[in-house]
Amino acid sequence: MKEDTTKEQGQEREGEEEGKKISAAIEAVTQLGQSTVPTNSESNIFCMTIIGQVEGHLILPPQNKTTKYEHMIPQLVAAEQNSKIEGVLIILNTVGGDVEAGLAIAEMISSLSKPAVTLVLGGGHSIGVPIAVAGHYSFIAETATMTIHPIRLTGLIIGVPQSFEYMEKMQERVVRFVTAHSAVSEQKFKQLMFTMGELTRDIGTTVIGADAVKHGLIDEVGGLGAAMKKLNALIEQRKKGE
């Protein structure tokens, strides 16, 4: 009788484990469109993705795909502190978002002691531009775009000179950061920012792939393979320098 009970319990456990495996496989298919997820727990590279809209101090509607800056900053701190992590790869496909949150992420990336390479896929628009140039080396896909435009404010704006001075100072922060971390000149960046007639109902410029490199915003046109190769080269260079 005991043997039968033990056998039944063993079969129940096997059934539960099999059920968990099936559930995990279904979850992977639902979320990622594949039955197995490639993992490399021993990787020395930390990959961080910045997608959708950069969310700042205000929570965006649930239908918006967002990157929350309060999630990004602790990850970058952890990558800096982890001795097993030797390099950071930042992949961008963002429409922009909160200016201060975007600048905070960009400053964190630029202040990493470990090599950081950025890759713009799809788009690196608006406040995504400072993030894209914040790494030690930057890549952009051939078909990816970057939109450069003046700062926009939504909501109530008090119509006094101080409000416009504040906007101008905030814009200067973005200009200073981008020109300090890329090869584009301040004159050229402002020219792209204030171009009229190129964007419908707005001021600014959209640059595609090679144009971003030509203007000095991005270092090189390339995809994931090129970005990984460059990051590994920077890691080796850092090791030799230590």
Side-chain angles (χ1 to χ4, degrees):
M1 195 72 177
K2 287 182 179 178
E3 288 179 5
D4 291 342
T5 306
T6 306
K7 191 175 181 181
E8 285 175 7
Q9 288 175 344
Q11 288 174 345
E12 284 177 8
R13 286 196 201 97
E14 286 177 7
E16 286 175 6
E17 288 175 6
E18 189 66 28
K20 286 178 182 178
K21 287 179 183 177
I22 292 168
S23 296
I26 292 169
E27 181 70 16
V29 171
T30 304
Q31 296 295 330
L32 304 171
Q34 57 189 46
S35 58
T36 56
V37 182
T39 58
N40 186 3
S41 58
E42 300 301 317
S43 177
N44 64 331
I45 292 171
F46 173 66
C47 179
M48 190 175 85
T49 55
I50 297 173
I51 58 171
Q53 196 164 344
V54 177
E55 188 178 271
H57 305 302
L58 297 176
I59 297 173
L60 293 170
Q63 68 268 22
N64 288 36
K65 197 172 285 265
T66 62
T67 294
K68 300 176 187 294
Y69 82 104
E70 70 269 25
H71 293 175
M72 297 293 102
I73 290 173
Q75 287 185 60
L76 289 166
V77 172
E80 176 70 17
Q81 290 181 316
N82 190 340
S83 58
K84 292 180 181 178
I85 299 296
E86 296 179 316
V88 180
L89 175 67
I90 298 101
I91 297 176
L92 294 100
N93 188 8
T94 176
V95 296
D98 188 281
V99 175
E100 289 196 341
L103 281 176
I105 294 170
E107 289 284 8
M108 288 287 288
I109 293 167
S110 68
S111 60
L112 288 169
S113 65
K114 298 173 181 181
V117 169
T118 59
L119 170 61
V120 180
L121 293 172
H125 307 293
S126 191
I127 201 62
V129 175
I131 300 173
V133 304
H136 296 95
Y137 203 85
S138 57
F139 286 88
I140 186 169
E142 193 174 348
T143 56
T145 60
M146 300 176 80
T147 303
I148 302 151
H149 62 76
I151 284 174
R152 307 177 182 129
L153 287 180
T154 56
L156 178 66
I157 299 174
I158 301 170
V160 293
Q162 289 87 340
S163 296
F164 300 104
E165 284 174 16
Y166 172 75
M167 280 183 68
E168 192 175 352
K169 284 178 182 177
M170 187 176 281
Q171 199 157 272
E172 281 302 315
R173 288 162 63 191
V174 174
V175 172
R176 278 202 306 269
F177 186 91
V178 172
T179 53
H181 292 87
S182 69
V184 71
S185 67
E186 183 177 335
Q187 183 182 356
K188 184 63 183 176
F189 188 68
K190 284 186 174 180
Q191 181 189 332
L192 294 170
M193 185 181 277
F194 297 115
T195 297
M196 295 179 70
E198 188 167 319
L199 299 181
T200 309
R201 297 179 301 167
D202 203 353
I203 298 172
T205 308
T206 296
V207 292
I208 303 172
D211 291 333
V213 177
K214 184 180 74 175
H215 293 313
L217 275 170
I218 300 293
D219 293 313
E220 192 177 329
V221 173
L224 181 59
M228 291 293 289
K229 186 178 178 182
K230 181 64 179 180
L231 184 54
N232 283 315
L234 289 173
I235 289 169
E236 288 303 314
Q237 189 178 325
R238 183 171 182 257
K239 285 180 180 176
K240 288 176 183 177
E242 287 178 351

